[in-house]
Amino acid sequence: AVSPNTQTTYTYTALLSNMTENAKTITQIKDTFPAGLSYVPGSTSGLTTSNPDIVSGDLRWNVTSEEGTLPPFSARGLQFQMQGLLPQGVYCNDIWVSPGGDKTRSGKTIAWP
């Protein structure tokens, strides 16, 4: 368990899936993260290893076609770290992929009673 207001590093993992009969190519991944956290440079792995741009409080990875191609009925992971101090509460992050604007909400990723 994590204590509120304690400097902590959080590891986020997203599974990006293509559940269609046709290959899909992701060109951008955007993650909206809780205020109070900052990206840990060099922590991205999986689908891409590049550092994201930070735009209006969002992490944005521009993905090459080679990195972002998902064959039919396949999935690839994206993992990265954020760190910071968070007060007591329930926190969620949202991740979008483009094209298509598909979005997944992670649910209660960080929670303290």
Side-chain angles (χ1 to χ4, degrees), residues 29-40:
I29 302 166
K30 180 177 94 168
D31 186 89
T32 300
F33 57 90
L37 297 181
S38 58
Y39 173 75
V40 176

Side-chain angles (χ1 to χ4, degrees), residues 39-45 49-52 79-81:
Y39 173 75
V40 176
S43 67
T44 301
S45 63
T49 57
S50 64
N51 285 321
Q79 191 170 60
F80 60 95
Q81 293 181 323

Side-chain angles (χ1 to χ4, degrees), residues 12-14 16 29 44-48 61 76-80 95:
Y12 288 83
T13 302
L16 308 170
I29 302 166
T44 301
S45 63
L47 183 89
T48 184
W61 289 268
R76 295 191 54 204
L78 176 74
Q79 191 170 60
F80 60 95
I95 191 164

Side-chain angles (χ1 to χ4, degrees), residues 8-103:
T8 304
T9 299
Y10 303 95
T11 299
Y12 288 83
T13 302
L15 185 62
L16 308 170
S17 319
N18 175 14
M19 302 312 296
T20 71
E21 295 179 0
N22 301 309
K24 301 286 183 179
T25 302
I26 296 168
T27 58
Q28 187 178 76
I29 302 166
K30 180 177 94 168
D31 186 89
T32 300
F33 57 90
L37 297 181
S38 58
Y39 173 75
V40 176
S43 67
T44 301
S45 63
L47 183 89
T48 184
T49 57
S50 64
N51 285 321
D53 294 322
I54 300 174
V55 180
S56 300
D58 294 330
L59 301 177
R60 292 189 186 182
W61 289 268
N62 292 310
V63 182
T64 68
S65 58
E66 184 177 316
E67 292 172 320
T69 299
L70 295 174
F73 303 106
S74 69
R76 295 191 54 204
L78 176 74
Q79 191 170 60
F80 60 95
Q81 293 181 323
M82 303 289 288
Q83 62 183 202
L85 304 168
L86 292 174
Q88 183 173 341
V90 176
Y91 299 90
C92 300
N93 75 309
D94 289 318
I95 191 164
W96 288 264
V97 296
S98 296
D102 294 328
K103 174 179 142 180

